[in-house]
């Protein structure tokens, strides 16, 4: 009987971290990469938004203390796929566009700077890592959540382009009262807060690859990132 020949595949599912400033297209890129590679996609910013929304709904202050501890233990966050889209569920319900509201945009940076909020979210984010491949976008994914990620992309784009994208997103969410100047000011304020907080601030990982997508369309940025992912051995699980 002839010897059985086994082929071992050296390719693997990767963890891909996509970090960068507010509204620079991180989520779109991470989502597109996940769907092209058959990976799971997690929007870590949506998790901080969900905590912020919960605190607002329950009229709780953005401060450390017993109330926050209780809230964090009462919050269950899941991601489910609906019609091909990854949707966040907060305690089984879909907050949807409420996560993009004006109040949430105003509060999310102070809330996400709270130590216990970060500890709780990072623990959950790490639990999403599977053998099946993952793309996650945020601020500290390559530096703190997954420092061992096989591919880290740091995204930037010009402020006026980011503000225009954000304004379009807000209009879609029914938030018609924002002006372009207000949006730009909110982005700048959040970037400053996110970059200057004590714990796991927004920072480019030393081993990240830079992407300025100001002059790229969605397909072009995906093609660029896919090439990188494939060069690092990404395959469909
Ligand atoms: O990506 P986004 O704009 O939806 O994120 C909302 C806020 O959440 C952002 O201003 C800072 C915070 N955030 C964070 O602190 N760490 C992450 N990994 C992702 C988001």
């Amino acid at each position: 009987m002839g010897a059985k020949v086994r082929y071992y595949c050296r390719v693997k599912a990767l963890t891909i971290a996509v970090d960068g400033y507010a509204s620079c297209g991180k989520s779109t890129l991470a989502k597109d990469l996940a769907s092209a590679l058959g990976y799971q996609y997690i929007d870590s910013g949506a998790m901080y938004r969900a905590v912020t929304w919960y605190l607002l709904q329950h009229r709780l202050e953005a401060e450390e203390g017993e109330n926050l501890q209780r809230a964090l233990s009462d919050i269950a966050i899941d991601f489910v796929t609906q019609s091909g889209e990854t949707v966040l569920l907060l305690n089984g319900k879909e907050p949807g566009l409420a996560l993009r509201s004006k109040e949430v945009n105003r509060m999310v940076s102070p809330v996400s700077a709270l130590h216990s909020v970060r500890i709780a979210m990072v623990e959950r984010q790490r639990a999403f890592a599977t053998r099946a491949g993952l793309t996650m976008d945020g601020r500290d994914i390559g530096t703190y959540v997954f420092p061992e990620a096989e591919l880290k992309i740091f995204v930037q784009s010009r402020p006026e382009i980011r503000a225009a994208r954000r304004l379009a997103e807000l209009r879609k969410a029914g938030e018609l009262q924002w002006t372009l100047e207000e949006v730009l000011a909110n982005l700048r304020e959040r970037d400053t807060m996110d970059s200057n907080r004590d714990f796991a601030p927004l920072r480019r990982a030393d081993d990240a690859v830079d992407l300025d997508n100001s002059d790229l369309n969605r397909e072009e940025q995906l093609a660029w990132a896919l090439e990188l992912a494939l060069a690092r051995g990404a395959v469909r699980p």
Side-chain angles (χ1 to χ4, degrees):
M1 208 162 105
K4 275 189 187 160
V5 179
R6 280 203 185 127
Y7 294 98
Y8 289 99
C9 225
R10 285 184 175 276
V11 280
K12 58 186 173 179
L14 311 180
T15 297
I16 301 179
V18 181
D19 288 302
Y21 296 97
S23 292
C24 59
K26 305 179 298 291
S27 303
T28 304
L29 176 60
K31 211 182 291 175
D32 287 351
L33 263 177
S35 89
L37 294 165
Y39 286 6
Q40 186 182 10
Y41 162 63
I42 300 291
D43 175 353
S44 71
M47 298 172 70
Y48 292 100
R49 287 174 182 275
V51 174
T52 306
W53 188 66
Y54 183 95
L55 297 183
L56 284 165
Q57 292 288 96
H58 291 81
R59 302 190 196 296
L60 296 171
E61 297 295 325
E63 61 186 27
E64 297 288 357
E66 262 179 45
N67 284 342
L68 181 64
Q69 293 306 327
R70 205 169 307 119
L72 288 171
S73 62
D74 287 346
I75 290 174
I77 295 178
D78 291 305
F79 287 91
V80 292
T81 308
Q82 284 175 8
S83 324
E85 285 282 312
T86 308
V87 171
L88 179 144
L89 297 185
L90 171 58
N91 293 336
K93 296 207 181 89
E94 190 190 334
L97 293 174
L99 295 187
R100 312 275 146 195
S101 67
K102 198 163 188 170
E103 295 74 34
V104 171
N105 276 317
R106 287 232 164 92
M107 278 267 290
V108 68
S109 282
V111 169
S112 60
L114 295 167
H115 195 267
S116 15
V117 171
R118 297 209 76 76
I119 295 284
M121 291 306 111
V122 169
E123 189 187 323
R124 292 165 204 209
Q125 286 154 12
R126 288 184 179 147
F128 284 117
T130 63
R131 286 156 170 257
L134 171 74
T135 70
M136 190 179 288
D137 74 298
R139 306 292 189 286
D140 59 343
I141 310 305
T143 51
Y144 187 77
V145 182
F146 295 119
E148 307 299 330
E150 289 90 351
L151 175 59
K152 301 175 186 180
I153 301 176
F154 193 78
V155 191
Q156 306 208 46
S157 45
R158 289 194 292 276
E160 63 279 10
I161 292 180
R162 295 159 55 208
R165 285 180 189 149
R166 189 68 181 174
L167 190 66
E169 194 178 284
L170 285 163
R171 296 243 155 102
K172 206 169 141 199
E175 298 270 342
L176 305 176
Q177 70 275 45
W178 288 80
T179 64
L180 190 69
E181 290 68 36
E182 280 178 319
V183 174
L184 193 55
N186 175 263
L187 294 184
R188 289 211 159 110
E189 201 181 323
R190 283 205 287 132
D191 287 344
T192 306
M193 269 195 243
D194 297 343
S195 307
N196 290 297
R197 66 179 174 230
D198 293 338
F199 183 23
L202 161 63
R203 194 167 56 72
R204 177 191 177 281
D206 294 338
D207 52 351
V209 185
D210 290 297
L211 166 67
D212 184 333
N213 65 10
S214 304
D215 300 311
L216 296 183
N217 66 29
R218 189 168 175 170
E219 290 72 31
E220 287 167 336
Q221 76 165 3
L222 174 62
W224 175 89
L226 260 183
E227 206 168 302
L228 273 179
L230 294 173
R232 294 190 187 198
V235 274
R236 285 175 189 277

